[in-house]
Amino acid sequence: MLFSEQNYRRGEYCGSIEVICGSMFSGKTEELLRRLRRAQIAKLNVEIFKPKTDTRYDETAVVSHDLNSVESTPVETSTAILLLKPDTQVVGIDEAQFFDDNLPEVCNQLAKKGIRVIIAGLDMDYMGKPFGPVPALMAIAELVTKVNAVCMRCGSPAVYSYRTVANANRVLLGEKDSYEPRCRHCYHLGDIE
Ligand code: ZN
């Protein structure tokens, strides 16, 4: 797998964009935190942002399901990410699907300034439709990592977040109990037992 960590040993003008995407329970945030921790070990200045709408667990920490967390800044809009500390070298962005459509432009600006940008987000909503700015981010990234969950019905790699409760809203808060990861085949089986 390609990583751009070595880019920082060559100078400050080689920023990059990495996207970590997949369904719910696929380990996106864990992978984001793993890369950010490596950057911290390398003594790089790391800042983490998440959308203010993501209030499931904690206001100021990116918290993954295994409870590894790193302090983060909740922001209302993607443009607010540009107000980061001037010495920031690595930017992590979690729950990217909830950001506005300007996020790709913001990430391009950060990368142009030499910053390594690492983004985690859902690539599809529960309907299987591309979610928010994530598809555009995948298009402009140097590196896209699609992580799979495990299908709760058959054990195959799962790319879909199947909603197990009846609700047509795109976003459900307290959502963890309302979804299960499924493979393509089992996703299309629907609720039929
Ligand atoms: Zn399956």
Side-chain angles (χ1 to χ4, degrees), residues 30-155:
E30 286 85 347
E31 177 61 17
L32 173 68
L33 294 178
R34 192 185 71 82
R35 294 186 195 181
L36 293 175
R37 274 195 294 267
R38 288 180 58 83
Q40 286 173 328
I41 290 167
K43 300 196 171 15
L44 296 168
N45 297 320
V46 175
E47 273 216 73
I48 308 162
F49 298 90
K50 65 175 185 176
K52 216 163 203 171
T53 49
D54 179 42
T55 54
R56 278 176 298 172
Y57 301 96
D58 192 305
E59 271 299 323
T60 57
V62 172
V63 183
S64 70
H65 297 299
D66 69 2
L67 296 179
N68 280 315
S69 72
V70 179
E71 284 293 302
S72 76
T73 308
V75 287
E76 297 272 7
T77 66
S78 60
T79 314
I81 296 171
L82 296 170
L83 303 172
L84 43 71
K85 295 188 197 91
D87 60 347
T88 302
Q89 293 159 298
V90 180
V91 168
I93 299 170
D94 200 18
E95 302 287 357
Q97 74 277 359
F98 294 138
F99 273 101
D100 51 88
D101 289 341
N102 200 39
L103 184 60
E105 175 54 29
V106 166
C107 293
N108 268 336
Q109 285 187 41
L110 294 172
K112 199 175 170 186
K113 286 200 285 185
I115 292 171
R116 178 185 175 197
V117 186
I118 313 172
I119 303 147
L122 287 168
D123 46 12
M124 289 187 278
D125 64 13
Y126 79 102
M127 300 283 284
K129 298 277 188 287
F131 207 153
V134 175
L137 289 163
M138 291 164 76
I140 63 169
E142 272 86 353
L143 175 68
V144 177
T145 305
K146 185 149 178 165
V147 284
N148 292 326
V150 178
C151 178
M152 292 307 286
R153 291 179 65 105
C154 77

Side-chain angles (χ1 to χ4, degrees), residues 151-157 182-187:
C151 178
M152 292 307 286
R153 291 179 65 105
C154 77
S156 294
R182 288 198 185 181
C183 72
R184 184 181 297 272
H185 176 77
C186 296
Y187 175 81

Side-chain angles (χ1 to χ4, degrees), residues 1-7 18 31 34-35 116 143:
M1 200 187 289
L2 171 76
F3 289 105
S4 49
E5 289 170 353
Q6 66 274 17
N7 288 357
E18 294 159 51
E31 177 61 17
R34 192 185 71 82
R35 294 186 195 181
R116 178 185 175 197
L143 175 68

